[in-house]
Amino acid sequence: MDSPGGGRNAGDNGEQRAELFRRGAQEYRWLAVQARVWEPATRRALQAAGLAAGQSALDAGCGTCEVLPLLAERVGATGQVTGLDIDGALAEQALQRLCRQPPLAAMPKTT
């Protein structure tokens, strides 16, 4: 069934979009490696953006959630960090990994 715009129906579009975001374990590891490579630049960008204690931060398309701890360091215990990703399997894996880490408040702070 076509949508009003003449394209495929919403169900087909949803499946196509979902397929774009499905990733295997190997790609998850690659995303984590990329995040570590880019960590110094990410830290500089967060500092330049002025993200500070008590603020809120949203990581839209957070993927493997590698940046969430960096955001949490900047906003501290009085701030809030939210990660959002369309890939449910990726988000579940990231949540499990984050739950195995020490509490973010106890993570070493860097300047």
Side-chain angles (χ1 to χ4, degrees), residues 13-84:
N13 282 336
E15 284 300 314
Q16 289 173 348
R17 281 193 304 271
E19 183 61 32
L20 291 174
F21 292 100
R22 289 192 183 108
R23 302 176 179 112
Q26 183 176 359
E27 187 166 347
Y28 294 166
R29 286 189 298 274
W30 175 243
L31 291 170
V33 167
Q34 283 182 317
R36 283 190 292 278
V37 168
W38 285 100
E39 184 175 328
T42 301
R43 287 181 183 281
R44 288 191 302 273
L46 294 175
Q47 182 176 0
L51 189 61
Q55 292 183 327
S56 296
L58 170 65
D59 185 355
C62 63
T64 56
C65 296
E66 300 292 330
V67 176
L68 292 182
L70 304 180
L71 293 169
E73 285 179 10
R74 302 285 311 175
V75 302
T78 59
Q80 181 176 335
V81 174
T82 302
L84 178 67

